[in-house]
Structure formats: structure tokens, C-alpha cells
Amino acid sequence: MRGHLQAETEAERLERRVKLLELLHRLRGEPDELLPFHQALALRPKGEHHLGLRTIEVDKVVGSVDRYEDFDRHFLPKTLHTLERWKRLRALQLEGVELPPIEVYQVGEAYFVKDGHHRVALAKATGQKYMDAYVIALDVPVPVEPGDTLKDLILKAEYAHFLEQTRLKELVPDAEEIRFTALGRYDLLLDHIATRRYFKGLEEGREVSWEEAVVDWYQNLYRPTVEAIRRLGLLRDFPGRTEADLYLWVMDHRYFLAQELGVDLGPEGAARSYEARFGPRWKRLGGWLKWLFKHSIQIPFDF
């Protein structure tokens, strides 16, 4: 009886906590949802294997196979039905009943619940650090992190699709990660590769394979541009962006300069020009003054 009364009290506090968290997330414009497992499947897993019974970290349980609308991103119950189920489990726990292990899919460092959602909610609400679970691991080319949002998952799915289409990691084993902050950008990279393939074929008078074009694009276009971005420290001027974001911006600017000047400045020249035009104001002013001195332009002054 005492366990039921305590569970009732805790459930009331939990309901208030969930409502407060929902309000805070709404005010901050933050997502307040579990990650859906079907989005993890968009990462194009190559297979799965059973790891058996394991002890996993509760904080890394971030998604659900089919109940992601019933719990918030902290895995706390959002509906009266789930709260009632949580309360009954909490009463059993307080009476000393041992709850069975849950079942999860492991995707990278994150876990998605297949069975045992209310047990996870109970562990989250009571501050439990570890719990037992039967684990099925998915082999994915782009791992999921516990702090990923739904947008992160969609971006990673796009990256997985890009890797599948290009086989970049197979063709260039030392290729670095290519990550964007906006959706739809990997399609632009595929356009770059196709364009590179077309012009390389014209230059050499032969049919260039897709695989050769991928390697040529990465080694002679993407990597040199990113290295120029690093040498200039350009990423510091655009917080919250990635090297891949800047690569696309610099390449667009390089194309614009080629059309305007009739000459290709190359990765370094395009990156420097982009910094001078779109970087912080003090850098733009500095770049303008350097250009004046370089071309020996006399600035008239009125006294």
C-alpha cells in the first residue's frame, strides 16, 4: 500500500515536470521528441547482429521503434495512459519486484527501444545510470550519437546515401568526414562530381568512370579547398558552420570569379577572395587595403 501511495505522489510530480520541460523546450525552440527508429534505418545499415544481454547506459537510450510519440526527448511519459503505466511499474519496483531487461537496437552510440519503453521511462525519472538490455546492433556507415536531434539524424541519413552512391570511403580510405549543417547539400556534391567527370572526359578525350571521377573530385577539388579553408582559419569566421558548408560557398564564389574575371583563381585564391568579401568587417577592410597597396593605387586626400 505504501508503495502505491509513493508511486502516486511521484507520478504527480513527474507530470508537472514533463509539462515544465515541454514549456521550456517550446520557449527555446528546441525539439522535444524521441528519435524515431525508421529514421535510423535511413542510415542504410549493412546488417545486424545480436549482442545478447548487456548492461547499457540509460542516458544513451534516445529513441523508439514505435512509441516515439508517447514520450518526450527525456523519455518521460507525455500522455495519461503512459503515465498510468509508469505509476504501476513504479509501485511494483518499490515493492521489490525485479523488472525484466528491455530490448533495444544499437545504432552507433545510441539505443532505440524495441520493448520496455515504460521501464526506460522509470529508469530516466529515478536517475538510474545503467540497466540490462538485450541488444541488436546495426552496422551503419554513419554512427548516431546520443545527443543527436531529428535533424542530425536526417543529415546523417543523407550522408549515408551519399557514401553509398559514391563509395568514397572505399575508394579513398583516408577521406575525412563530410558534414553539413543544412539539408540537401550532398546532392550538390554529386553534381560537382558529375561535372568534374564531364570536363575531365572532354580534356582527356576519353570516357571517365564514375569511380575515377569521385577520387579525382575528392583529391583535386574538395580536399585542396578544405585545406585552404584551414590554412586561412576561415571556419572561425563562420561559427556554427562546417568545412563542407564553406567548401560549397567557396566553390560558388570561385565559379563567380571565373565568370567575372575569366580566370580560375584556384582553391587558395578563391578562399582568400571569399574571406575578403564575406568575412568579418575588419578582415574585409584589411583585404581591401592590401589590394590597394598591391596595385599601387593612390588614395587622394582633401585637406
Side-chain angles (χ1 to χ4, degrees):
M1 185 64 179
R2 184 177 297 178
H4 284 278
L5 291 176
Q6 183 175 338
E8 183 75 37
T9 301
E10 290 183 9
E12 292 175 358
R13 287 201 300 263
L14 183 60
E15 185 177 15
R16 291 193 294 269
R17 177 183 168 190
V18 170
K19 290 180 179 179
L20 177 60
L21 287 172
E22 181 183 8
L23 177 61
L24 289 175
H25 285 301
R26 188 176 301 171
L27 292 174
R28 294 171 180 169
E30 298 174 344
D32 186 32
E33 56 199 3
L34 284 178
L35 297 182
F37 183 64
H38 67 260
Q39 195 59 58
L41 293 178
L43 293 171
R44 285 165 164 74
K46 304 302 180 182
E48 64 178 49
H49 52 281
H50 293 253
L51 302 181
L53 185 61
R54 299 288 180 93
T55 299
I56 65 173
E57 294 182 49
V58 174
D59 285 344
K60 292 185 177 181
V61 182
V62 297
S64 166
V65 172
D66 56 4
R67 302 288 300 277
Y68 46 87
E69 294 181 342
D70 294 339
F71 302 85
D72 67 11
R73 67 176 302 183
H74 307 282
F75 228 113
L76 301 180
K78 292 171 62 176
T79 66
L80 289 177
H81 172 74
T82 53
L83 184 63
E84 282 297 319
R85 174 64 175 159
W86 182 93
K87 183 168 60 177
R88 290 196 295 271
L89 281 180
R90 179 56 174 159
L92 291 174
Q93 186 182 53
L94 290 170
E95 292 171 2
V97 176
E98 185 176 349
L99 303 177
I102 63 173
E103 297 180 29
V104 297
Y105 286 101
Q106 180 179 352
V107 186
E109 294 297 316
Y111 298 98
F112 293 76
V113 180
K114 180 181 178 183
D115 180 65
H117 294 79
H118 296 89
R119 279 165 275 167
V120 174
L122 186 60
K124 293 269 190 178
T126 57
Q128 188 175 327
K129 299 297 183 183
Y130 301 94
M131 64 189 310
D132 291 334
Y134 291 104
V135 181
I136 303 172
L138 298 187
D139 300 320
V140 292
V142 185
V144 176
E145 304 294 334
D148 284 347
T149 63
L150 180 58
K151 180 184 176 182
D152 294 327
L153 212 56
I154 296 173
L155 282 168
K156 289 184 175 183
E158 288 189 354
Y159 184 35
H161 182 60
F162 171 79
L163 291 176
E164 184 177 74
Q165 289 185 292
T166 61
R167 295 175 47 228
L168 179 61
K169 288 188 175 182
E170 301 172 42
L171 298 171
V172 188
D174 64 341
E176 298 183 20
E177 298 291 322
I178 301 175
R179 298 294 177 86
F180 289 106
T181 59
L183 301 174
R185 297 300 186 261
Y186 292 101
D187 286 342
L188 298 179
L189 296 188
L190 294 174
D191 289 341
H192 283 202
I193 296 170
T195 302
R196 188 76 173 181
R197 180 187 185 187
Y198 172 76
F199 282 106
K200 186 177 178 63
L202 289 181
E203 291 170 4
E204 301 184 5
R206 63 183 180 87
E207 181 71 23
V208 175
S209 70
W210 174 252
E211 291 77 13
E212 183 182 352
V214 169
V215 174
D216 182 71
W217 166 80
Y218 183 82
Q219 294 181 339
N220 298 310
L221 201 61
Y222 182 81
R223 181 181 280 165
T225 304
V226 167
E227 288 174 349
I229 289 169
R230 290 174 182 171
R231 284 193 297 272
L232 295 174
L234 202 55
L235 199 59
R236 293 193 298 269
D237 300 332
F238 300 90
R241 297 298 184 174
T242 66
E243 291 175 340
D245 291 330
L246 288 180
Y247 161 79
L248 284 181
W249 296 347
V250 170
M251 286 300 298
D252 283 345
H253 187 61
R254 179 177 173 180
Y255 176 78
F256 167 78
L257 292 175
Q259 296 297 308
E260 289 292 308
L261 304 177
V263 62
D264 184 4
L265 297 183
E268 185 84 22
R272 287 187 180 279
S273 176
Y274 186 87
E275 179 185 40
R277 177 168 293 192
F278 301 106
R281 183 172 298 178
W282 65 270
K283 281 195 175 183
R284 296 202 300 269
L285 178 61
W288 179 71
L289 291 175
K290 285 181 182 179
W291 187 87
L292 289 177
F293 284 115
K294 180 178 179 181
H295 293 275
S296 301
I297 294 178
Q298 299 297 319
I299 304 177
F301 293 90
D302 293 325
F303 294 96

